[in-house]
């Protein structure tokens, strides 16, 4: 049982990595990265290190969320 759970977690992780590289996930990451510096609290210094870190983190989060959404959608297709 432990081996099956471990294998399932590994497959899920690999699927998320693959889906995170998809064009959809990459596009969402680019949008999030471009949008972050325009937020009101970043407008004073949009090129500062803090703003760039926030943009990079927003991009990573968007990419992860998109990959998770794509995985759920594809798993849903399997149940039909």
């Amino acid at each position: 049982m432990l081996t099956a759970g471990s294998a399932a977690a590994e497959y899920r992780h690999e699927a998320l990595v693959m889906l995170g590289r998809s064009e959809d996930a990459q596009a969402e990451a680019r949008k999030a990265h471009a949008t972050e510096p325009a937020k009101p609290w970043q407008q004073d210094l949009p090129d500062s290190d803090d703003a760039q870190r926030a943009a990079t983190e927003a991009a990573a989060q968007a990419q992860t969320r998109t990959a998770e959404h794509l995985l759920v959608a594809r798993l849903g297709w399997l149940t039909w």
Side-chain angles (χ1 to χ4, degrees):
M1 191 69 153
L2 183 60
T3 301
S6 178
E10 171 106 11
Y11 287 131
R12 182 179 190 282
H13 173 75
E14 292 300 320
L16 288 172
V17 168
M18 181 189 72
L19 291 169
R21 293 180 186 142
S22 71
E23 184 55 38
D24 291 339
Q26 294 294 317
E28 289 299 319
R30 285 190 297 273
K31 285 186 225 174
H33 194 276
T35 302
E36 188 66 27
K39 291 186 176 175
W41 56 89
Q42 301 288 359
Q43 286 182 348
D44 290 339
L45 297 168
D47 293 326
S48 70
D49 288 342
D50 288 341
Q52 291 302 313
R53 272 193 296 276
T56 300
E57 183 161 330
Q61 289 174 355
Q63 185 176 7
T64 299
R65 280 193 310 271
T66 303
E68 289 170 346
H69 169 76
L70 292 171
L71 180 59
V72 168
R74 283 164 174 75
L75 290 175
W77 295 340
L78 292 175
T79 60
W80 284 87

